[in-house]
Amino acid sequence: MPWTLLFFAGLFEVGWAIGLKYTDGFTRPMPTVLTIVSMIISMGLLGLALKDLPVGTAYAVWTGVGTVGTAILGMWLLGDPATAVRIGCIALIVCGIAGLKLVA
């Protein structure tokens, strides 16, 4: 169960990271509210996962899921560059997340 909580915490991290772009400097009320709610949910789920997982592993996986998801959505939604090197680096992050899961 803690790994599931951690995964969803990472997904909500993606939500608030992408949401920040849509807040337009916190001048748009609805994206701002959704971004803040996503931040609260992400931190809450991370906190629950930390009851059972080592902090270093959980934090690295949480940020890794957030980084990978944000990078992919940035390329898909926001036109961020999708170069081979960038995609390769994302793949390395995924390998790191999988490695941490295997040794935890």
Side-chain angles (χ1 to χ4, degrees):
M1 184 65 152
W3 285 102
T4 303
L5 293 172
L6 187 59
F7 176 73
F8 281 104
L11 292 182
F12 278 97
E13 184 189 5
V14 174
W16 68 257
I18 294 294
L20 284 172
K21 182 71 170 176
Y22 290 101
T23 67
D24 198 24
F26 300 106
T27 61
R28 298 178 62 212
M30 185 54 70
T32 297
V33 168
L34 292 174
T35 298
I36 291 169
V37 168
S38 189
M39 286 177 177
I40 292 168
I41 293 170
S42 180
M43 289 288 179
L45 292 173
L46 174 62
L48 291 173
L50 284 172
K51 290 169 76 173
D52 297 309
L53 298 173
V55 68
T57 300
Y59 185 75
V61 171
W62 177 67
T63 57
V65 169
T67 300
V68 169
T70 302
I72 291 170
L73 282 180
M75 289 184 274
W76 184 46
L77 295 174
L78 305 172
D80 292 352
T83 64
V85 171
R86 186 180 183 113
I87 293 168
C89 290
I90 291 169
L92 289 172
I93 295 169
V94 171
C95 289
I97 293 168
L100 286 170
K101 169 71 170 97
L102 290 173
V103 299

